[in-house]
Amino acid sequence: MFIVYVQKAELSHKIFSNVRPDAFNLISHPYGKKKLTSQNLSVPIELRLLCRDINLETSQTVFVGPYLSSKARADFNKDYILFNVGLMNMPIDLPGTGFRKAKFAVKRLIEILTDCAKECKSQLKSGKEPSCLIDFWMQEILNEIDSMPQSGVNQYPPHSSDIDIGSYLFDFLFAAQDASTSSLLWAIMLLDQHPAVLAKVREEVGRIWSPESNTLITAEQLREMKYTQAVAREIIRYRTPAAMVPHIAREDFPLTESYTIPKGTIVFPSVSDSSLQGFIDPEQFDPDRFSEKRQEDKIYKRNYLGFGIGAHQCIGQQYALNHLVLFIAMFTLLFDFKRHKSDGCDEIIYVPTTCPNPSF
């Protein structure tokens, strides 16, 4: 078996853009403790698990809203941890292994989400107004089913069964969870490292929204936070959550004039390497590169691969960016924080997305 690691942005772009039966398959792992605020201000709090829990709660609410009971949420969280641990294990399907536990956890997770799909259909048929992603999605499916007699169609829409919907919801939640948790952690770390950026974010957010208003930040206010949006985009570029996205060559593929990737080769186009190419002083954390004046996001667009490109470009990228901007806005305005420094805390770890060292 061959393994090819691709550093150049243009070649990574070429692989992302050729996910099709005669070129590449996008591949991933086969399947595919909460702490309260310390009362002792001298004791640091580890944020990784807290950010994970916040993000899981947010994504569950956005995608399946009221259809997850308190018990279902608790069961979901336990099984999601087993699944996440399984991602970091060798794919050896034997009793007692992390992989086997992850395999059964995925089955239970999909069962929970399948029940959500069934309940959603029932509620919408009873006249419930849509309030979350699955509602709007299912509303379209039900409208299509209702129109079947008039259109002469006698088959249900493809992928519209409860278990199909549950499986897709699991994919959405997985995609929304780990990568976004990574970005929240990098946001806190990088803002602590760059006090001038933090001050500028606080000034902008404070001009647009006040916690004392007792109102939620609106979509319009979020769009006004231009600098905070630039900070979010720079976080994704500078510390890309998914450093590499594995593919497998379905056929021999001419990558360059002088090299053809053999059929069956596992190919790793490097998103992180691509994001450090072309940009001005790419090793520097610099949100101003996304300003109207510099527009490096447009000039070097082909190198900005944090959300992929082509057929498998992340469909949730706007959700992810909005989520990150909202988190930065609220966290910076509601909290004073200082990072606890320890040996190795600036190192990047992979769990499986990139994160600051857990000592942070």
Side-chain angles (χ1 to χ4, degrees):
M1 177 183 290
F2 291 97
I3 295 177
V4 174
Y5 181 83
V6 180
Q7 279 188 303
K8 290 187 176 180
E10 193 60 34
L11 298 182
S12 292
H13 198 284
K14 190 172 183 179
I15 293 166
F16 279 119
S17 299
N18 284 280
V19 178
R20 59 176 195 269
D22 64 339
F24 294 101
N25 266 359
L26 178 69
I27 61 172
S28 60
H29 197 284
Y31 292 97
K33 137 177 152 182
K34 186 175 292 185
K35 297 181 180 180
L36 299 178
T37 302
S38 173
Q39 299 301 309
N40 183 348
L41 297 182
S42 65
V43 178
I45 301 168
E46 184 177 330
L47 289 180
R48 188 164 68 91
L49 295 181
L50 285 173
C51 283
R52 174 204 164 274
D53 290 347
I54 290 171
N55 200 32
L56 188 56
E57 179 74 18
T58 302
S59 57
Q60 286 175 344
T61 301
V62 169
F63 293 132
V64 288
Y67 302 113
L68 278 177
S69 65
S70 298
K71 181 182 183 305
R73 284 179 184 262
D75 291 343
F76 193 104
N77 292 357
K78 291 175 185 175
D79 277 331
Y80 193 88
I81 291 173
L82 289 174
F83 163 68
N84 214 26
V85 171
L87 284 173
M88 303 303 294
N89 280 261
M90 292 291 292
I92 300 173
D93 192 5
L94 294 174
T97 61
F99 182 86
R100 174 66 66 87
K101 291 177 182 178
K103 181 177 178 180
F104 286 117
V106 169
K107 182 176 182 293
R108 291 190 296 268
L109 289 168
I110 291 176
E111 287 173 354
I112 290 174
L113 294 171
T114 298
D115 289 340
C116 290
K118 183 178 180 180
E119 177 65 18
C120 174
K121 286 179 179 176
S122 175
Q123 292 286 338
L124 289 177
K125 287 177 181 177
S126 302
K128 175 185 178 291
E129 289 296 318
S131 63
C132 59
L133 182 143
I134 190 177
D135 280 339
F136 290 99
W137 182 13
M138 205 66 65
Q139 187 178 56
E140 292 301 313
I141 290 176
L142 292 175
N143 289 340
E144 193 172 346
I145 292 173
D146 289 342
S147 66
M148 284 169 54
Q150 292 83 5
S151 59
V153 176
N154 56 13
Q155 288 186 332
Y156 280 95
H159 313 300
S160 60
S161 70
D162 294 341
I163 191 167
D164 283 339
I165 301 297
S167 298
Y168 287 128
L169 283 170
F170 173 74
D171 290 339
F172 290 163
L173 284 164
F174 171 58
Q177 178 57 36
D178 291 298
S180 288
T181 298
S182 166
S183 295
L184 302 190
L185 292 169
W186 286 121
I188 297 169
M189 173 180 169
L190 291 167
L191 288 168
D192 176 79
Q193 286 183 340
H194 299 84
V197 174
L198 174 59
K200 196 169 178 179
V201 167
R202 281 175 167 159
E203 187 278 327
E204 177 182 71
V205 176
R207 251 189 306 110
I208 296 168
W209 175 76
S210 168
E212 287 73 31
S213 67
N214 290 321
T215 60
L216 299 175
I217 297 177
T218 66
E220 183 179 347
Q221 288 174 320
L222 213 59
R223 286 191 290 270
E224 290 180 47
M225 298 176 185
K226 300 295 185 184
Y227 184 74
T228 310
Q229 289 180 27
V231 170
R233 291 177 65 82
E234 175 67 346
I235 289 167
I236 299 294
R237 183 203 69 86
Y238 185 71
R239 288 292 181 260
T240 307
M244 298 178 292
V245 184
H247 293 65
I248 187 165
R250 296 283 298 269
E251 301 291 344
D252 291 352
F253 185 84
L255 185 63
T256 67
E257 291 183 1
S258 60
Y259 181 72
T260 295
I261 297 175
K263 177 181 177 179
T265 300
I266 296 175
V267 183
F268 290 92
S270 176
V271 176
S272 56
D273 282 328
S274 298
S275 297
L276 295 176
Q277 293 171 24
F279 294 93
I280 299 170
D281 294 328
E283 299 285 351
Q284 299 298 316
F285 178 73
D286 181 9
D288 285 327
R289 71 176 74 253
F290 295 108
S291 66
E292 285 297 320
K293 181 179 179 181
R294 288 170 57 179
Q295 297 187 7
E296 289 187 37
D297 53 327
K298 297 178 181 177
I299 298 170
Y300 305 109
K301 183 178 180 179
R302 291 180 69 84
N303 295 9
Y304 191 83
L305 298 178
F307 293 106
I309 199 70
H312 285 273
Q313 184 174 187
C314 175
I315 62 172
Q317 60 180 292
Q318 195 56 57
Y319 164 79
L321 283 169
N322 286 342
H323 178 49
L324 181 55
V325 173
L326 187 61
F327 174 82
I328 293 170
M330 296 188 71
F331 189 86
T332 55
L333 218 57
L334 292 171
F335 295 97
D336 284 323
F337 60 95
K338 184 175 179 59
R339 185 182 177 216
H340 173 71
K341 301 288 183 69
S342 58
D343 290 342
C345 66
D346 290 328
E347 296 175 0
I348 300 174
I349 61 166
Y350 300 87
V351 288
T353 52
T354 66
C355 282
N357 192 301
S359 60
F360 156 49

